[in-house]
Amino acid sequence: MNSSAPDGAAVSCEPRVRADKELKMDKKEMKGWLYLLPAILFLGFFMVYPLIDVLVYSFEEGYNFASQTYYGTGLYNYSYVLHDPYFLQALKNTFILVIVTVPLSTAAALLISAGLSSIKPLRSLYQTIYFLPYVTNTLAVGLVFMILFRRTPYTDGFVNLILGWFGAGPVDFIDGPYPAKMFVLCLYTIWVVMPFKILILTSALASVNQEYYNAAKVDGTSKFRIFMRITLPMISPTLVYLIITGFIGAFKAYSDAVALFGTNLNTAEMNTIVGYVYDMLYGSSGGYPSYASAAAILLFVIVLTITCINLMVSGKHVHYGS
Amino acid sequence: MEISEEKEQHYMEQHKNTGDEFKKIERSDRLRRKVLKTFTYAGLTFWALVVLFPFYWMVLTSVKSYSSYNSEYIPKLFTLSPTLQNYKEAFTAVPLAGYFLNTVIFAVVTTMLMLIVTVLAAFAFARLNFPGKHLAFTLLLSLMMIPNELVVITNYVTITNLGLRSTFTGLILPSVSSVFYIYLLKENFEQVPDQLYYAAKVDGTSDLKYLRKVLVPICRPTIVTITILKAIECWNSYVWPRLITDDEKYFLVSNGIQEIRENGFGRENIPAMMAAVVVISVPLIVLFLLFRKVIMEGVSRGGTKG
């Protein structure tokens, strides 16, 4: 584009200069791409190519990993996955996880951040503590949660001890009934995602213009009303961001479940969609990249749909002012 | 005279009344504020305890001896006879030190490669002009939407077919690229005034030298941020290493923990397991406490977890 624009003017008078310029341009052009080359190689090889490939895989029926052959193309993989009870279980688990953890963790984080920004002493201590789960290994701390909630012949575990104080019977949260297992999974997921949400919301709250609050104070507005009418609208873009990333993150849940229930999630009835994809690929039930691809694309479609719905709904209610 | 005195008295009386009322309102307001503050602190402390308790429990369990832990049908909240035996066991009974070393190698090499790739690409997008730049950048942005789960499948097949399973090459290469960090750093590079670049050009400085001596030092905070975020990501990565390593020699800490849980320590030696968990958790926590500000700022600018 750049080199073609001045052509008409330059062509007759100074051909040599123009040629020189073009040569330099070429060198410069090459340079830009040269700097990009490593990124292009890595992204192309490990992201763009896989993306196309995964689509191809998902339509190839009966793909054999060893001989790299397949019978034909079609939607069979999708239909297989959608009729697989393990996938349906994973779908159900993932949806429950999303519906429970996203609103709860966002609301709790909002409450905690509001509390944090209303105090002065000890604030940074609290902030530091709240952030700790972010820098811990999900698998490692999940093991601690498992031990806290597990009931074995040798011990009822810590949580059952507390339940006992309130007269509730001992429950095995790890190998026990489905609702109990789901409860622990949700709790652990919330514990893991809270730091990020608290951090983002605290800085959003701090950036609300103080003048609005002063004006409201002069009018004698109640605290609750200030929160509903000023704070909430002002931080609504941040809330939307957190809800969307929360949805995406929760739909991709996997290692939390592994941490609590071990790698054999299908037997534990605790598999998630991502877990299903990996199980199809690897492990005792693995070796089916076609099914894995179909499931992964289904996940992508679900996440994309939910994100679009989120954006559409929030577009009507969110305040994007200066 | 009389009238004005009366007025004054009247005024004083009124004033006294309102003063009393003021005090009353103030008192009740102060009380309400106190109650609210107490509730706030109570709530905040509650969540702090919820966050801290698992950490306390893992340290506590890790210093209980095997026999005393197993004899507690009702778990005790403290111990009077702490022991370090479990830590010894954690390093001798399972190759914990090996997992550690692997993770350090993996994290360091991946982060370094990521930095080189990211800095070069961000520089090209921020400073250089070349045809197709806009298209390339748009493509890059659209890649940000792609979840990792979608590309893992083919990468798994590719690495397997290349015979790179259970090698550091296979572990590291697909983990290098980070689209979002390129974007983040490009935005930061663009904030550096153009004049610096032209001045450097006039002095005959090469692009690479300008990048190394001017741009990178100026944008150090962002570079430190993405370095730390990537290192945390590497330290905690579980899925890819699990798919690609069958050999225990190449396990990272996450896989190591899972392996310990399923096969290590004769399965029921919880105290030793907890010792391993403590050992694995400590480096990141120390890193966090040392670089608290940088990490928290970095995460709020460019982090996600999900």
Side-chain angles (χ1 to χ4, degrees):
Chain A
M1 278 252 288
N2 270 346
S3 55
S4 69
D7 257 10
V11 91
S12 55
C13 33
E14 286 170 285
R16 260 198 62 190
V17 174
R18 199 180 67 98
D20 249 22
K21 227 182 184 173
E22 222 158 55
L23 204 70
K24 246 187 196 159
M25 210 62 174
D26 266 348
K27 229 170 133 193
K28 244 195 159 166
E29 281 165 12
M30 287 301 295
K31 210 173 191 177
W33 286 107
L34 202 66
Y35 277 83
L36 272 186
L37 192 64
I40 289 173
L41 283 181
F42 272 108
L43 289 175
F45 205 67
F46 293 114
M47 235 177 145
V48 179
Y49 158 67
L51 209 59
I52 300 161
D53 204 43
V54 84
L55 260 176
V56 174
Y57 269 138
S58 76
F59 289 111
E60 284 176 356
E61 288 169 3
Y63 178 82
N64 187 312
F65 197 32
S67 62
Q68 306 214 354
T69 54
Y70 58 96
Y71 312 138
T73 51
L75 290 171
Y76 174 73
N77 295 323
Y78 289 93
S79 123
Y80 175 89
V81 166
L82 284 173
H83 288 102
D84 187 350
Y86 282 141
F87 181 77
L88 297 177
Q89 176 77 50
L91 201 66
K92 179 182 155 200
N93 291 339
T94 310
F95 267 96
I96 294 178
L97 191 68
V98 168
I99 289 164
V100 172
T101 63
V102 175
L104 270 184
S105 62
T106 313
L110 186 59
L111 207 66
I112 288 173
S113 315
L116 264 183
S117 41
S118 75
I119 63 165
K120 269 247 163 68
L122 296 180
R123 188 201 282 183
S124 86
L125 175 70
Y126 280 120
Q127 274 178 321
T128 309
I129 292 173
Y130 293 160
F131 196 71
L132 277 177
Y134 192 92
V135 291
T136 51
N137 190 304
T138 319
L139 270 300
V141 180
L143 208 55
V144 184
F145 267 76
M146 179 196 83
I147 284 158
L148 285 171
F149 280 91
R150 190 170 64 161
R151 182 170 178 244
T152 64
Y154 314 106
T155 172
D156 278 353
F158 176 76
V159 172
N160 278 315
L161 175 71
I162 293 190
L163 284 181
W165 293 345
F166 296 100
V171 184
D172 186 350
F173 285 91
I174 302 299
D175 296 315
Y178 178 79
K181 287 193 279 193
M182 206 66 217
F183 172 77
V184 184
L185 183 58
C186 290
L187 190 77
Y188 185 46
T189 307
I190 291 176
W191 192 86
V192 169
V193 299
M194 283 293 269
F196 181 65
K197 297 194 161 144
I198 294 176
L199 180 74
I200 300 287
L201 281 173
T202 318
S203 56
L205 286 175
S207 66
V208 176
N209 193 337
Q210 200 62 38
E211 276 170 35
Y212 293 120
Y213 291 132
N214 292 341
K217 251 184 213 159
V218 170
D219 288 348
T221 318
S222 75
K223 269 199 168 153
F224 180 71
R225 215 178 140 81
I226 291 179
F227 186 78
M228 294 306 283
R229 290 300 168 93
I230 298 177
T231 313
L232 221 48
M234 290 305 282
I235 62 166
S236 54
T238 310
L239 274 179
V240 168
Y241 168 69
L242 281 183
I243 288 170
I244 289 177
T245 52
F247 266 111
I248 295 174
F251 267 113
K252 296 202 276 185
Y254 171 57
S255 43
D256 315 327
V258 172
L260 291 170
F261 307 106
T263 39
N264 205 342
L265 287 173
N266 277 337
T267 334
E269 290 184 302
M270 275 295 118
N271 214 349
T272 61
I273 302 180
V274 170
Y276 179 86
V277 171
Y278 294 140
D279 283 349
M280 271 295 163
L281 199 59
Y282 179 75
S284 47
S285 57
Y288 302 99
S290 305
Y291 298 150
S293 305
I297 285 174
L298 284 173
L299 171 69
F300 182 57
V301 170
I302 294 172
V303 171
L304 207 62
T305 315
I306 302 263
T307 308
C308 287
I309 293 174
N310 261 327
L311 283 174
M312 262 164 13
V313 171
S314 65
K316 284 182 196 152
H317 300 290
V318 175
H319 166 92
Y320 290 104
S322 55
Chain B
M1 279 282 261
E2 240 175 56
I3 293 169
S4 74
E5 221 166 71
E6 208 172 84
K7 235 185 185 171
E8 203 166 90
Q9 213 172 356
H10 187 73
Y11 175 77
M12 288 283 279
E13 225 159 70
Q14 220 178 17
H15 199 72
K16 209 178 131 211
N17 271 345
T18 46
D20 274 356
E21 227 156 87
F22 256 139
K23 261 183 207 154
K24 227 194 218 159
I25 291 174
E26 228 164 52
R27 211 179 303 140
S28 83
D29 186 54
R30 214 176 297 150
L31 191 74
R32 257 196 18 215
R33 232 181 255 177
K34 236 182 202 164
V35 170
L36 191 70
K37 200 131 262 186
T38 318
F39 269 110
T40 311
Y41 273 104
L44 291 178
T45 309
F46 171 74
W47 184 251
L49 287 178
V50 171
V51 169
L52 286 179
F53 191 76
F55 294 102
Y56 172 68
W57 199 255
M58 77 187 176
V59 174
L60 174 72
T61 312
S62 76
V63 295
K64 282 180 180 170
S65 73
Y66 180 71
S67 57
S68 75
Y69 177 83
N70 280 317
S71 63
E72 291 171 6
Y73 187 80
I74 295 165
K76 288 203 182 88
L77 288 167
F78 57 90
T79 178
L80 293 173
S81 50
T83 164
L84 289 176
Q85 181 58 35
N86 298 312
Y87 286 88
K88 225 167 115 191
E89 190 136 331
F91 278 101
T92 49
V94 289
L96 192 62
Y99 301 153
F100 237 90
L101 191 68
N102 290 341
T103 314
V104 170
I105 296 174
F106 171 71
V108 168
V109 178
T110 308
T111 309
M112 297 271 278
L113 280 175
M114 181 278 291
L115 272 184
I116 296 171
V117 172
T118 305
V119 167
L120 288 179
F123 178 66
F125 281 128
R127 177 55 57 216
L128 301 175
N129 280 317
F130 52 92
K133 180 170 139 175
H134 278 288
L135 184 69
F137 191 63
T138 314
L139 281 177
L140 185 87
L141 284 188
S142 58
L143 278 184
M144 267 200 316
M145 285 194 346
I146 304 304
N148 204 27
E149 286 68 24
L150 215 51
V151 298
V152 153
I153 299 162
T154 309
N155 285 343
Y156 169 82
V157 176
T158 312
I159 294 293
T160 307
N161 287 344
L162 287 175
L164 290 174
R165 293 183 64 80
S166 293
T167 61
F168 276 114
T169 323
L171 267 176
I172 291 167
L173 286 184
S175 315
V176 167
S177 44
S178 292
V179 180
F180 184 67
Y181 296 153
I182 297 180
Y183 170 75
L184 204 67
L185 198 59
K186 177 228 170 209
E187 296 285 298
N188 199 224
F189 278 172
E190 271 176 350
Q191 284 166 7
V192 176
D194 291 349
Q195 282 85 340
L196 283 177
Y197 182 62
Y198 298 134
K201 283 275 114 177
V202 170
D203 288 350
T205 316
S206 74
D207 277 351
L208 208 59
K209 200 168 171 196
Y210 168 75
L211 179 63
R212 237 173 10 145
K213 298 272 166 160
V214 181
L215 220 45
V216 168
I218 289 180
C219 298
R220 230 186 75 168
T222 309
I223 290 175
V224 170
T225 296
I226 60 177
T227 308
I228 288 174
L229 289 180
K230 188 73 182 179
I232 293 179
E233 187 191 312
C234 288
W235 190 266
N236 288 334
S237 64
Y238 168 68
V239 168
W240 179 248
R242 182 198 161 203
L243 288 176
I244 221 69
T245 52
D246 321 291
D247 189 348
E248 204 178 296
K249 271 204 319 231
Y250 291 95
F251 276 0
L252 305 188
V253 284
S254 298
N255 313 87
I257 273 292
Q258 209 50 38
E259 176 68 18
I260 286 171
R261 176 195 174 150
E262 268 153 30
N263 305 312
F265 296 131
R267 209 175 154 83
E268 285 307 315
N269 190 350
I270 304 283
M273 228 184 254
M274 286 298 108
V277 168
V278 171
V279 171
I280 284 169
S281 306
V282 160
L284 271 195
I285 292 179
V286 169
L287 187 79
F288 166 59
L289 293 178
L290 286 178
F291 298 101
R292 201 174 57 94
K293 268 229 165 91
V294 182
I295 292 181
M296 287 174 78
E297 248 162 51
V299 171
S300 71
R301 277 175 57 202
T304 48
K305 184 153 186 172

